[in-house]
């Protein structure tokens, strides 16, 4: 009987390890989506740089999170014998891998905002500091209960800040960090003339669409497998993710008047927004959440570029920063039982948690990028920007000129 129970326990542990490993691989694949979304949006002379940044940022993020960031968030490090690390089929290691892919999404998000004029090495330095210190600080507060903030919110407002898969912890953090970097960098040369926006057309709409689709597919690993064990997995998360994605697509299609850039970012806006409450909402609530996010992205991207003169190349602040905050707030609305949700969530806690994420990200971004700007400089020279980051940094173009 003991042997049977041991076999069952081993099967459960192995299944959980495989489950979260598949989630890690799906989210890892999303980084190809980030890459192609940026490649398709930037001008042709910056495509190689876009691809190089995403892969290099992931490598630096892995080192930063393995040696520092994960320990700051969860109090666990990996400087133990391999025999110890392999306990429970190595579930602890694979959990790190899964959460690493979330952490590495932060610099991938930032990359799209600062494209076409940021220096390469300083951005890698920023990635190291953000993934080692800034992101883990807030991640640990929300997902590990560090500093007692969640306990206080529960005592004061009846529930902790709820962010199931990272609308605020990952996406809003990435978007607001990107805003700080974009403001410190300034607009691309020639983007505004006599106060008017000059259109820089995307270089490759098929690549942009490919990036969007890769992200959409991978997002179901991002959301569903945030359960982290097979026993906790929920079909509600999958369907809510689907409905939010569709809501964002339709809203961006209508509000964006058939613009393919808006259309392919609309589903991403919906998916950003649903991360926080995907395990609590009714599918109709998820649909509304996604639709609001899709429209919000179109309106705010247009205002960012035209009215506020903020040259955020891929619109990562509207897409991740603002839609991420909306997702945190929407969780506090549509997660309530009165709107068909499962309940157990506080609207006030959602407001406070979302605002805290914005403050940490914006302050962290200004400190990290402000320091690097002062010490090393952030921006390519005017000549380098003119010839493009591909030739200036990597000494090769995206395609042969023969």
């Amino acid at each position: 009987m003991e042997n049977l129970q041991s076999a069952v326990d081993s099967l459960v542990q192995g299944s959980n390890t495989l489950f979260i490993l598949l989630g890690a691989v799906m989210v890892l694949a999303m980084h190809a989506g980030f890459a192609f979304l940026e490649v398709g949006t930037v001008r042709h002379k910056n495509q190689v740089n876009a691809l190089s940044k995403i892969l290099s940022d992931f490598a630096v993020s892995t080192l930063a999170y393995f040696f520092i960031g994960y320990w700051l968030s969860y109090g666990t490090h990996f400087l133990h014998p391999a025999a110890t690390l392999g306990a429970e089929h190595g579930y602890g290691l694979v959990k790190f891998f899964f959460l690493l892919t979330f952490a590495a999404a932060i610099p991938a998000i930032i990359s799209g905002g600062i494209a076409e004029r940021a220096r390469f090495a300083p951005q890698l330095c920023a990635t190291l500091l953000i993934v080692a210190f800034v992101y883990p600080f807030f991640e640990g507060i929300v997902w590990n209960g560090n500093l007692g903030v969640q306990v206080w919110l529960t005592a004061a407002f009846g529930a902790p800040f709820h962010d199931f898969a990272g609308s605020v912890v990952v996406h809003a953090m990435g978007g607001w960090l990107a805003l700080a970097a974009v403001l410190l960098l300034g607009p691309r040369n020639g983007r505004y003339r006599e106060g008017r926006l000059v259109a820089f057309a995307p270089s490759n709409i098929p690549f942009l669409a490919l990036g969007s689709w890769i992200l959409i597919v991978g997002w179901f690993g991002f959301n569903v497998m945030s359960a982290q064990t097979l026993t906790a997995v929920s079909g509600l998360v999958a369907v809510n993710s689907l409905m939010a994605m569709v809501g964002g697509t339709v809203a961006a299609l209508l509000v964006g008047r058939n613009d393919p850039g808006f259309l392919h970012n609309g589903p991403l806006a919906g998916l950003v927004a649903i991360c926080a409450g995907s395990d609590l909402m009714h599918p109709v609530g998820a649909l509304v959440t996604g639709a609001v996010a899709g429209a919000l992205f179109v309106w705010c991207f247009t205002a960012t570029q035209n009215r506020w003169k903020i040259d955020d190349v891929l619109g990562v602040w509207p897409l991740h920063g603002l839609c991420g905050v909306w997702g945190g707030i929407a969780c506090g609305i549509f997660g309530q039982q009165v709107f068909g949700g499962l309940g157990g969530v506080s609207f006030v806690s959602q407001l406070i948690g979302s605002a805290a994420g914005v403050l940490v990200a914006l302050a962290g971004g200004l400190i990290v990028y402000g320091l690097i700007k002062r010490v090393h400089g952030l921006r390519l020279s005017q000549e380098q920007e003119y010839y493009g980051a591909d030739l200036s940094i990597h000494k090769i173009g995206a395609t042969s000129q023969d």
Side-chain angles (χ1 to χ4, degrees), residues 56-99:
S56 300
D57 276 337
F58 187 87
V60 172
S61 296
T62 300
L63 297 176
Y65 200 63
F66 183 85
F67 288 106
I68 303 173
Y70 192 77
W71 171 71
L72 286 180
S73 290
Y74 301 102
T76 300
H77 65 81
F78 301 106
L79 302 180
H80 301 293
T84 303
L85 298 177
E88 296 183 341
H89 296 267
Y91 178 83
L93 288 173
V94 178
K95 180 180 177 181
F96 154 78
F97 182 12
F98 181 66
L99 292 173

Side-chain angles (χ1 to χ4, degrees), residues 101-265:
T101 59
F102 282 52
I106 300 287
I109 290 167
I110 296 170
S111 176
I114 64 175
E116 302 203 338
R117 76 274 201 202
R119 293 174 62 194
F120 192 64
Q123 170 54 23
L124 292 180
C125 292
T127 293
L128 176 66
L129 293 173
I130 288 167
V131 178
F133 300 105
V134 180
Y135 170 74
F137 173 74
F138 190 67
E139 177 193 22
I141 289 174
V142 177
W143 285 343
N144 197 48
N146 295 354
L147 303 182
V149 175
Q150 293 286 43
V151 173
W152 172 74
L153 288 173
T154 303
F157 305 109
F161 173 61
H162 187 88
D163 191 357
F164 180 70
S167 285
V168 178
V169 174
V170 178
H171 296 286
M173 284 283 290
W176 286 87
L177 280 161
L179 176 64
V182 168
L183 292 175
L184 288 170
L185 272 170
R188 290 166 287 177
N189 290 325
R191 182 58 165 162
Y192 299 100
R193 294 177 186 168
E194 299 179 352
R196 293 185 178 181
L197 179 71
V198 176
F200 287 178
S203 61
N204 194 309
I205 295 296
F207 276 171
L208 188 159
L210 175 63
S212 176
W213 272 108
I214 293 172
L215 286 167
I216 289 169
V217 173
W219 222 297
F220 287 87
F222 197 99
N223 283 4
V224 174
M225 291 172 177
S226 286
Q228 298 189 21
T229 61
L230 275 172
T231 54
V233 71
S234 170
L236 181 65
V237 176
V239 172
N240 280 344
S241 300
L242 174 68
M243 296 302 284
M245 183 270 285
V246 169
T249 303
V250 173
L253 176 65
L254 296 176
V255 179
R257 299 181 180 181
N258 303 326
D259 181 284
F262 288 141
L263 172 62
H264 287 93
N265 277 282

Side-chain angles (χ1 to χ4, degrees), residues 276-292:
S278 56
D279 62 328
L280 297 179
M281 294 186 193
H282 186 279
V284 175
L287 178 66
V288 174
T289 297
V292 171

